[in-house]
Amino acid sequence: MDARAPDVAVVGAGPAGCAAAIGLARAGCDVVLYHRPRTSGSNPGEIIESRVRVPLAELGIDVVFDSLDSLALAGNVSSWDEEDTVAADGMVSPYGLGALIDRSGFEAWLISEAERAGVAVVRSGKRLRAERSGALWLLGDPAERGRRCIVAPLVLQATGRASGPIGPSERSAADRLVALLMYGPMPDGPREHNLLIEAAKDGWWYAAPLPHGRAVIAFLTDGDLLPRAWAAKKRYFRDRLAVTRLIRAFSKSLPPDLPLVGHPANSTLRQMMRGNGWACIGEAAASYDPLSGRGVPLALSKGAAMARLIVGGDSISRAFEAYEQAERATFEDHLEQQRVTYRRAAPRFSSTFWTRRKNEVGATHLAR
Ligand SMILES: Cc1cc2nc3c(=O)[nH]c(=O)nc-3n(C[C@H](O)[C@H](O)[C@H](O)COP(=O)(O)OP(=O)(O)OC[C@H]3O[C@@H](n4cnc5c(N)ncnc54)[C@H](O)[C@@H]3O)c2cc1C
């Protein structure tokens, strides 16, 4: 067994896990960050709103963020409440412009910042199993009979929508949203760009150029409204893209048969998010509909907040309780804002997707 005994083990090296690890290490804690690299692609989440600079500044990495190879997000152009488009200029934000990032590069950068802050990063493809031994957690690969174990009194699970090694993984889901995403090449253009958002009959779309001459187009709809077979899903996507206005114009220069990837995108809350010496942070605790546009900034803020709470002098159980309260309140607030936003576009359409948004989405409609 490894002799290392960190104060905190963080499992999952996305924005929430890296922020917590950096915050804790900067405060003098001994931290191990367990990074299981994804086997295919990266997470969606390339459009970063300008408020991201608040948690990045707290972690001391905002200046480097601004020098990353991203595009500047000039603002939004949307067709939501009505068919006409509305432009919102990012210039007026007190935080500066947002960014369009290369998500894999951004995550690799966060991990490198964690290492620079003194975090020990363990990279492994193995799925960890957790066991409790007295006041410690032992995290290791069961096949290796305890060798190369991480031993720590505290574990933060920052595994995103995946369940992670500790605790029951049941989540309450507020809706059935899924994303179909298409990534493709886009001719290089100016450094400043808009995010395009368009409400449509069976869901809504977003599209944006990305660094390195790439672009993303995403269609968000309810999973049960999609055909089952993948070929039929592709047709469904293409047929609906053909009747959009903003997104169709944007996608004109893309090759016709790019692959699609699917991703869950619903708002969910983990029912049990903390226990003896462990807690979930970021999307491991609550996931958000991408309409919120706040996923990455919020995950960074939550990681930084958890680090602050742990080193803040209260008992660990009080710190975890305070985190859970904030997490639940933020989620309720998110559901309310989401309900209001969807209801603005809903009168334009009579499809199942929008009828559900008129009636179902809201804090009181959480269902397993
Ligand atoms: C379709 C879609 C589009 C989105 N677009 C945006 C956007 O444009 N802008 C934005 O700000 N947000 C966006 N989001 C939300 C954003 O991606 C998330 O809010 C954010 O990634 C959450 O960060 P996290 O660190 O909590 O989780 P994640 O980013 O999911 O990170 C979790 C990490 O843990 C790892 N992991 C999982 N299981 C294990 C395990 N057992 N052991 C070790 N590691 C593990 C994963 O590989 C991953 O590296 C979008 C979400 C969706 C679904």
Side-chain angles (χ1 to χ4, degrees):
M1 188 178 291
D2 196 323
R4 160 176 282 125
D7 301 321
V8 185
V10 180
V11 181
C18 287
I22 294 170
L24 287 163
R26 291 261 153 86
C29 297
D30 187 3
V31 186
V32 168
L33 175 62
Y34 186 80
H35 173 41
R36 199 179 75 196
R38 290 167 63 90
T39 44
S40 62
S42 68
N43 253 352
E46 294 88 358
I47 301 136
I48 308 298
E49 65 153 31
S50 58
R51 273 182 290 177
V52 75
R53 293 199 178 75
V54 176
L56 291 177
E58 178 179 347
L59 299 169
I61 54 176
D62 53 324
V63 176
V64 196
F65 172 75
D66 280 328
S67 67
L68 294 180
D69 195 7
S70 351
L71 303 176
L73 176 59
N76 297 347
V77 174
S78 62
S79 161
W80 192 259
D81 310 35
E82 48 191 68
E83 216 174 313
D84 286 347
T85 53
V86 176
D89 196 330
M91 266 332 252
V92 293
S93 164
Y95 306 104
L97 293 180
L100 300 163
I101 60 165
D102 165 12
R103 178 71 190 240
S104 315
F106 174 72
E107 290 192 357
W109 167 69
L110 281 176
I111 293 168
S112 72
E113 288 295 341
E115 280 178 316
R116 265 170 26 95
V119 174
V121 178
V122 176
R123 293 172 173 83
S124 166
K126 301 276 167 58
R127 184 173 288 275
L128 289 179
R129 199 175 69 188
E131 275 172 41
R132 189 82 177 151
S133 171
L136 295 173
W137 282 105
L138 312 183
L139 298 171
D141 174 8
E144 293 190 348
R145 295 174 184 275
R147 280 186 297 123
R148 292 215 275 135
C149 223
I150 298 170
V151 183
L154 294 184
V155 176
L156 298 180
Q157 296 201 117
T159 49
R161 289 172 186 259
S163 51
I166 307 180
S169 59
E170 284 81 11
R171 302 170 84 103
S172 303
D175 60 86
R176 294 162 248 210
L177 201 71
V178 294
L180 291 177
L181 299 125
M182 194 170 83
Y183 291 89
M186 172 129 284
D188 277 332
R191 238 187 72 78
E192 285 188 10
H193 294 272
N194 287 310
L195 162 66
L196 307 179
I197 301 171
E198 183 168 354
K201 180 173 146 269
D202 295 304
W204 61 276
W205 295 79
Y206 73 83
L210 300 176
H212 315 305
R214 294 176 70 239
V216 59
I217 295 180
F219 179 49
L220 287 295
T221 188
D222 287 338
D224 62 326
L225 302 180
L226 284 174
R228 289 210 169 183
W230 200 240
K233 278 193 181 75
K234 279 185 91 169
R235 270 199 306 280
Y236 187 95
F237 181 93
R238 288 270 162 210
D239 292 349
R240 276 143 189 85
L241 176 59
V243 291
T244 58
R245 287 195 316 140
L246 279 176
I247 308 294
R248 182 166 49 105
F250 176 86
S251 65
K252 261 189 189 145
S253 62
L254 292 176
D257 206 26
L258 290 167
L260 278 186
V261 285
H263 209 282
N266 55 345
S267 301
T268 68
L269 188 68
R270 188 157 163 151
Q271 289 168 4
M272 188 171 169
M273 60 178 82
R274 66 187 163 99
N276 200 0
W278 68 273
C280 293
I281 52 169
E283 288 222 327
S287 71
Y288 294 87
D289 179 332
L291 188 61
S292 74
R294 303 163 68 198
V296 168
L298 211 49
L300 290 165
S301 295
K302 289 175 179 184
M306 179 57 103
R308 231 183 294 127
L309 285 164
I310 289 175
V311 298
D314 249 346
S315 70
I316 290 301
S317 59
R318 283 246 184 82
F320 285 179
E321 189 185 342
Y323 180 88
E324 177 169 354
Q325 277 171 4
E327 189 72 78
R328 288 183 183 278
T330 308
F331 189 73
E332 292 294 317
D333 181 49
H334 156 74
L335 287 188
E336 186 53 30
Q337 286 180 27
Q338 182 183 310
R339 191 175 61 80
V340 169
T341 309
Y342 275 117
R343 283 198 175 165
R344 282 185 11 228
R348 291 178 55 202
F349 309 99
S350 56
S351 58
T352 306
F353 180 87
W354 289 102
T355 306
R356 284 177 179 164
R357 266 74 194 162
K358 278 175 209 154
N359 302 329
E360 273 183 24
V361 177
T364 54
H365 289 88
L366 281 176
R368 281 282 296 277

